[in-house]
Structures are given as structure tokens and as C-alpha cells.
Amino acid sequence: MLHKIVTAPMNVMIKIGEKVKEEADKELYDLPTIQRKLIHLQTMYEQGDVPEADYKKKEEELLYRYEQAKLIEMKQWQDMASRKK
């Protein structure tokens, strides 16, 4: 009983940390989110709201994240396919 009282706050913190990581990963590696950000960035650049240097830097970052997200997606599909065999 004492063990549960002592470890309960730690377990709650672990769950919160896992949820925060999950949300951060979703924000960083969610393909539709990245696509929306790329479109928004392009629109802002075309309207003159973003300088070219900033645009290129942010676009490069978003394209890298998109590439990483696609790799993660491919790995997940491969893992699912290998489990079905």
C-alpha cells in the first residue's frame, strides 16, 4: 500500500510526459500539419510577409520534417506488414 502511495505521483508524471511527447511528435511529424505549414509559409512569402532568407530557412526545416515523417510512416507500414506474415 505504501508503495502505491509513493509511486503514484511518479506514475502520473510519467503518463503526462508520455502524452506531451506524443503531442510534440504529432506536431513535428504529422504529415497534414507539415503540409498546411508549408502552404501557409508559401502564401506568406508570396504576399511579401516573409523575407526570402527566412522563407528558405523555414521551408528547408519543414521539408526535412516532412521527409522524416515519411520515413516514420514507411517504417510503421513495414512493421505492420511484417507482423501480418
Side-chain angles (χ1 to χ4, degrees), residues 26-79:
K26 184 178 176 183
E27 174 69 20
L28 284 174
Y29 300 112
D30 181 60
L31 290 169
T33 299
I34 297 168
Q35 290 169 335
R36 280 193 303 276
K37 287 183 177 197
L38 279 165
I39 291 167
H40 180 65
L41 179 66
Q42 177 71 32
T43 302
M44 289 180 63
Y45 174 68
E46 289 174 356
Q47 293 175 348
D49 297 335
V50 176
E52 185 173 359
D54 293 345
Y55 167 76
K56 287 185 178 191
K57 181 179 177 186
K58 186 68 176 172
E59 180 188 42
E60 186 177 315
E61 174 193 317
L62 288 168
L63 290 174
Y64 176 78
R65 283 177 34 202
Y66 187 87
E67 182 180 318
Q68 295 305 306
K70 288 303 276 183
L71 291 172
I72 291 168
E73 182 182 71
M74 288 173 46
K75 174 94 171 81
Q76 289 171 343
W77 280 105
Q78 290 170 347
D79 290 347

